[in-house]
Amino acid sequence: ALNPVSKQDLIPIMELMHVSPEIIDRVEFQWRSVHLVQWTEHEDTIAFWGEVAAFKDASGSNPFKELADFSISLLILPHSNAEVERVFSQMNLVKNKLRNRMQAEMANAILAIRA
């Protein structure tokens, strides 16, 4: 985000996430200008985008609000479904042919204990 030479285009990602065209324009403009501000956080991604989200200019507004919101929404996406697969695997062990009448509350309780 801070290297103007190697920045990737965000438009394809935003279109995949069904972001409205007016927000795409604002985010793209903010993406092109975010490197012009001196940021204190350079090492930690989460801290950097937190700093961008909390940034205020001289008028008290955040000129990078849409960019920070979009970036944080990208950071919270799961990169893998391994955790979900583990839960399904545990569920198959807990609710088997012998326990096929088990209610959801009991299955949730057993899965919580196993976790």
Side-chain angles (χ1 to χ4, degrees), residues 28-47:
E28 193 64 28
F29 175 76
Q30 293 168 11
W31 177 244
R32 282 192 223 108
S33 61
V34 72
H35 68 276
L36 300 174
V37 176
Q38 293 293 333
W39 304 103
T40 58
E41 286 294 334
H42 295 273
E43 302 298 322
D44 185 17
T45 303
I46 296 170

Side-chain angles (χ1 to χ4, degrees), residues 12-65:
I13 297 170
M14 290 187 281
E15 288 173 346
L16 281 174
M17 295 183 70
H18 303 291
V19 177
S20 65
E22 59 272 359
I23 299 292
I24 289 176
D25 290 339
R26 282 189 250 159
V27 169
E28 193 64 28
F29 175 76
Q30 293 168 11
W31 177 244
R32 282 192 223 108
S33 61
V34 72
H35 68 276
L36 300 174
V37 176
Q38 293 293 333
W39 304 103
T40 58
E41 286 294 334
H42 295 273
E43 302 298 322
D44 185 17
T45 303
I46 296 170
F48 170 74
W49 288 112
E51 181 182 359
V52 173
F55 179 76
K56 300 287 183 203
D57 62 4
S59 67
S61 63
N62 186 344
F64 303 108
K65 180 184 180 340

